[in-house]
């Protein structure tokens, strides 16, 4: 773990579900705690490397069903204690609590550590984001930290803007949601037969909400792009946009090209492509596609 030095009075830490590359996390001095996943009774650590992401996708394409685990209160406690013992305050930014009850364990660990280190600031910033959305949000927090913003300024900015990070997902094969217990057998079978691809959005609740179902992959990806018109902003092109794929790099490149054709104002924008990490990947399976960006306030599409 790389910790803050003398010029770094506080540290921004995160979890592996930001899906940021290990190289970026190391370069910007961001400690991260790893979720784990299990395949054939063997436990693997999400270490934010491309090798782990490829291994997970190769395993799923071979028919393996991975299972993910919560991070324990003890693991959070030890992870954060090490940062505090080095003399740093900590701002911990994790994925939306709506997708993982691990956040409850983090809160309990932070409560204990606040009592043990009363002279240090330690807070959980619930991002209401995950994967690429969390990555973009975290990068903006880190940017402000590196520009010299103090702890409270960064927290205030984060709370003011976290609901502006937009997530639009497409799940290729409903069988993975069924196997993970997130969809009934009948719904998954019918969806597979009809080649239905659900389009998913994250509203302010941080939950995954299906906002449309489209038959066929090509039509679904085009529909995903078209739907971005609802919440892109004038400033969206001024920040990085992330396209996230699950072992579908060529499709991601084509998706980026189609996005620019649809929205020519983004031809000079930074549109990066990133492989989905193992934890979220375990639940959605290969060929998943997503786009995340800093847009307007999220749409109210709760059902």
């Amino acid at each position: 773990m790389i910790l803050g030095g003398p010029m770094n009075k506080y540290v921004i830490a995160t979890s592996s579900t930001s899906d940021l590359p290990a190289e970026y996390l190391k370069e910007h001095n961001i400690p991260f705690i790893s979720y784990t996943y299990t395949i054939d009774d063997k436990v693997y650590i999400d270490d934010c490397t491309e090798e782990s992401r490829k291994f997970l996708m190769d395993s799923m394409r071979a028919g393996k069903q991975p299972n993910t685990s919560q991070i324990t209160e003890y693991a959070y406690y030890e992870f954060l204690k090490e940062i505090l013992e080095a003399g740093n305050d900590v701002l911990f930014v994790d994925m939306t609590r709506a997708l993982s009850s691990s956040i409850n364990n983090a809160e309990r660990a932070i409560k204990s550590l606040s009592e043990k280190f009363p002279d240090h600031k330690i807070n959980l910033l619930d991002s209401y984001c995950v994967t690429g959305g969390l990555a973009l949000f975290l990068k903006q927090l880190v940017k402000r930290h590196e520009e010299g913003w103090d702890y409270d300024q960064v927290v205030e900015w984060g709370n003011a803007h976290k609901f502006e990070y937009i997530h639009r997902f497409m799940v290729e094969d409903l069988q993975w949601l069924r196997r993970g217990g997130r969809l009934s057998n009948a719904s998954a079978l019918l969806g597979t037969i009809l080649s239905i691809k659900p389009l998913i959005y994250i509203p302010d609740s941080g939950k995954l909400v299906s906002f449309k179902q489209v038959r066929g992959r090509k039509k679904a990806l085009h529909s995903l792009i078209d739907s971005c018109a609802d919440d892109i902003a004038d400033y969206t092109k001024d920040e990085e946009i992330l396209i996230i794929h699950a072992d579908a790099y060529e499709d991601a490149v084509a998706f980026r090209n189609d996005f620019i054709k649809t929205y020519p104002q983004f031809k000079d924008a930074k549109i990066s492509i990133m492989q989905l990490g193992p934890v979220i990947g375990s639940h959605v399976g290969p060929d998943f596609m997503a786009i995340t960006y800093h847009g307007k306030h999220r749409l109210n599409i709760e059902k």
Side-chain angles (χ1 to χ4, degrees):
M1 180 187 295
I2 299 176
L3 301 175
M7 298 298 291
N8 210 4
K9 295 182 180 179
Y10 68 94
V11 167
I12 296 176
T14 191
S15 72
S16 60
T17 52
S18 69
D19 286 348
L20 284 164
E23 295 80 9
Y24 174 91
L25 295 165
K26 181 177 180 181
E27 178 185 354
H28 292 273
N29 198 27
I30 307 169
F32 69 96
I33 188 168
S34 292
Y35 283 78
T36 60
Y37 58 101
T38 304
I39 300 175
D40 290 338
D41 297 323
K42 183 175 180 180
V43 177
Y44 298 88
I45 295 173
D46 180 4
D47 58 4
C48 295
T49 65
E50 286 300 310
E51 290 78 11
S52 291
R53 297 172 189 189
K54 184 177 187 306
F55 169 74
L56 185 278
M57 287 295 125
D58 287 348
S59 298
M60 294 183 82
R61 287 196 185 280
K64 304 290 186 181
Q65 173 61 57
N67 296 301
T68 56
S69 302
Q70 292 184 28
I71 298 175
T72 65
E73 180 182 343
Y74 176 77
Y76 279 116
Y77 185 93
E78 291 297 310
F79 168 72
L80 295 167
K81 180 170 72 111
E82 184 177 349
I83 304 173
L84 291 163
E85 286 178 340
N88 300 288
D89 294 337
V90 186
L91 177 59
F92 180 62
V93 188
D94 210 329
M95 70 170 168
T96 170
R97 71 172 63 242
L99 297 185
S100 175
S101 54
S102 285
I103 308 305
N104 298 326
N105 293 334
E107 287 180 324
R108 285 190 285 268
I110 286 171
K111 184 177 185 297
S112 298
L113 288 165
S114 296
E115 296 169 357
K116 183 177 178 64
F117 296 89
D119 296 329
H120 283 272
K121 294 179 179 179
I122 174 169
N123 288 288
L124 167 69
L125 177 55
D126 188 341
S127 67
Y128 293 84
C129 297
V130 71
T131 188
L134 178 54
L136 294 177
F137 179 62
L138 190 69
K139 282 186 174 185
Q140 289 301 314
L141 296 175
V142 170
K143 175 178 178 289
R144 284 156 176 79
H145 182 202
E146 293 175 347
E147 288 174 349
W149 290 33
D150 68 29
Y151 186 102
D152 291 336
Q153 286 176 314
V154 171
V155 171
E156 183 179 0
W157 185 91
N159 282 321
H161 295 279
K162 60 189 178 185
F163 294 116
E164 297 167 1
Y165 283 84
I166 309 300
H167 307 66
R168 292 184 177 277
F169 303 157
M170 187 214 72
V171 177
E172 171 67 19
D173 188 345
L174 296 178
Q175 293 300 325
W176 296 111
L177 293 175
R178 178 192 64 79
R179 293 176 188 179
R182 286 167 170 78
L183 192 68
S184 71
N185 289 342
S187 295
L189 179 60
L190 181 62
T192 300
I193 292 172
L194 297 177
S195 190
I196 290 174
K197 317 297 179 185
L199 305 187
I200 296 171
Y201 192 84
I202 298 184
D204 285 355
S205 66
K207 298 176 181 178
L208 301 180
V209 177
S210 175
F211 67 92
K212 190 174 184 180
Q213 295 185 346
V214 183
R215 291 186 66 176
R217 180 175 178 82
K218 187 174 181 180
K219 288 182 179 179
L221 292 175
H222 281 299
S223 185
L224 195 67
I225 291 171
D226 290 341
S227 70
C228 296
D230 292 335
D231 50 28
I232 55 175
D234 290 340
Y235 51 73
T236 300
K237 63 181 181 300
D238 299 326
E239 291 185 23
E240 184 178 11
I241 297 167
L242 270 178
I243 295 170
I244 306 101
H245 69 94
D247 196 32
Y249 178 76
E250 291 183 1
D251 282 357
V253 172
F255 185 89
R256 179 172 59 186
N257 293 338
D258 288 341
F259 180 82
I260 293 170
K261 288 178 183 177
T262 305
Y263 306 104
Q265 67 268 37
F266 289 98
K267 63 181 178 64
D268 296 321
K270 181 179 181 182
I271 305 178
S272 303
I273 294 175
M274 183 174 79
Q275 171 90 302
L276 183 68
V279 176
I280 305 303
S282 293
H283 298 288
V284 298
D287 297 318
F288 165 95
M289 192 74 67
I291 183 166
T292 59
Y293 48 90
H294 186 190
K296 301 174 186 176
H297 199 278
R298 295 176 184 177
L299 303 178
N300 181 15
I301 60 170
E302 290 280 7
K303 296 183 179 180

